[in-house]
Amino acid sequence: EVQLVESGGGLVQAGGSLRLSCAASGFTFGDYAIGWFRQAPGKEREGISCISSSDGSTYYADSVKGRFTISSDNAKNTVYLQMNSLKPEDTAVYYCAADRAPIGGCFVVYNYWGQGTQVVVSS
């Protein structure tokens, strides 16, 4: 059974940093893509970053490019999202998601989702 567990959310002041973790189990990590999404109240879910655990390719949405960094520790089956220079508009529930991507890349339909972790950035 595929399971994803996010952690690391919390309350931080604008300009601060947080590191989110997504611990994965139940699948061969090296064949999957992992994505980070967020959803703010009243807004649609936004895909903000993803990484291929097979070829290491990454993607960042313009809204987070240059501030957020995604990384993968395949030995720990964990993907991280380092979030720097946080802004109040980054406030949202952050979700990680996974699905198979055996040929690399991370633009896939994600069918496995974590429960989310709340990030609140105060001004």
Side-chain angles (χ1 to χ4, degrees):
E1 179 187 5
V2 174
Q3 288 191 330
L4 302 168
V5 179
E6 302 97 334
S7 61
L11 173 64
V12 64
Q13 288 188 331
S17 299
L18 285 173
R19 189 178 79 158
L20 304 183
S21 299
C22 174
S25 61
F27 60 91
T28 304
F29 205 65
D31 294 336
Y32 274 66
I34 308 292
W36 282 100
F37 297 77
R38 67 185 181 186
Q39 188 164 22
K43 294 189 176 181
E44 292 188 353
R45 186 174 62 197
E46 176 189 16
I48 58 173
S49 185
C50 63
I51 187 168
S52 165
S53 57
S54 61
D55 65 14
S57 59
T58 60
Y59 159 82
Y60 298 96
D62 287 343
S63 57
V64 305
K65 196 174 296 181
R67 299 187 299 123
F68 291 10
T69 302
I70 193 170
S71 61
S72 174
D73 186 336
N74 286 8
K76 295 183 178 180
N77 277 20
T78 301
V79 169
Y80 304 98
L81 186 68
Q82 178 67 44
M83 306 188 298
N84 298 329
S85 302
L86 283 162
K87 306 174 182 179
E89 52 264 43
D90 294 317
T91 295
V93 178
Y94 284 70
Y95 300 89
C96 68
D99 217 304
R100 293 195 71 240
I103 61 172
C106 58
F107 293 105
V108 299
V109 175
Y110 290 94
N111 288 299
Y112 302 103
W113 293 80
Q115 82 289 350
T117 185
Q118 177 74 56
V119 171
V120 177
V121 184
S122 62
S123 58

